[in-house]
Each structure stands twice: as C-alpha cells, then as structure tokens.
C-alpha cells in the first residue's frame, strides 16, 4: 500500500531528524545529512526525503528549518496534546 508506506516513511524521517539532533547535542543538523541518511535507511530517493522534510517543516509541524539546517520544532503540539485543551 503506497499511502501506508509514505506515511510510515515520513514518520521515520521525522524520527531520524530527532535522533540526529539529539546526537548533535540539540543543535540543528545539515539538511544534506538528513537527506543522505534518510535516503539510505528508508530506501527512497534523495528528492523524496527532501519532500518529506519540506512537508514536516510547516509552521505547526514537527520540524523546523534554520537556514540549511533542520531541527525539532519547539512549538509543535501533537494531535494528542491539542485535544487535551
């Protein structure tokens, strides 16, 4: 199922960014590193990883772009958190 694969691959990409940021001591990581690692680990093209990162760096999404680096969005609230209010 292509839709299920895409959804899972997007979540793996988000988790990869979280891992790389944690590994970097909380500092943003180069987009190129995310693209390289994600493409290898997930088995999709580099352009696909770029699309996943682009999608998940929307203003209310899990990730945030800082120049050409990616980090975790400190203002992100998951759907579960949003429903608690």
């Amino acid at each position: 199922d292509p839709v299920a694969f895409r959804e899972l691959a997007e979540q793996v990409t988000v988790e990869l960014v979280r891992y790389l940021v944690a590994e970097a001591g909380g500092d943003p990581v180069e987009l190129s590193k995310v693209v390289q690692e994600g493409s290898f680990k997930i088995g999709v093209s580099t352009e696909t990883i770029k699309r996943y990162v682009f999608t998940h760096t929307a203003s209310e999404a899990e990730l945030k772009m800082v120049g050409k680096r990616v980090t975790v969005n400190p203002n992100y609230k998951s759907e579960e958190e949003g429903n608690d209010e």
Side-chain angles (χ1 to χ4, degrees), residues 1-84:
D1 179 13
V3 173
F5 175 81
R6 180 189 50 78
E7 289 173 356
L8 179 61
E10 285 182 5
Q11 283 311 116
V12 169
T13 302
V14 170
E15 290 304 316
L16 175 63
V17 171
R18 287 184 177 135
Y19 171 78
L20 293 172
V21 167
E23 193 176 61
D27 292 334
V29 293
E30 292 290 334
L31 175 59
S32 60
K33 182 174 180 96
V34 174
V35 169
Q36 179 183 34
E37 294 294 327
S39 178
F40 178 77
K41 291 183 187 321
I42 300 170
V44 296
S45 75
T46 56
E47 291 303 313
T48 299
I49 297 295
K50 288 178 190 176
R51 284 197 310 272
Y52 294 165
V53 171
F54 181 79
T55 299
H56 289 272
T57 54
S59 62
E60 296 180 13
E62 303 95 320
L63 306 176
K64 177 180 172 183
M65 290 297 297
V66 180
K68 292 184 179 182
R69 294 174 173 247
V70 186
T71 191
V72 177
N73 183 353
N75 300 318
Y76 172 71
K77 291 188 175 144
S78 68
E79 288 183 22
E80 295 83 34
E81 292 176 41
N83 291 337
D84 289 345

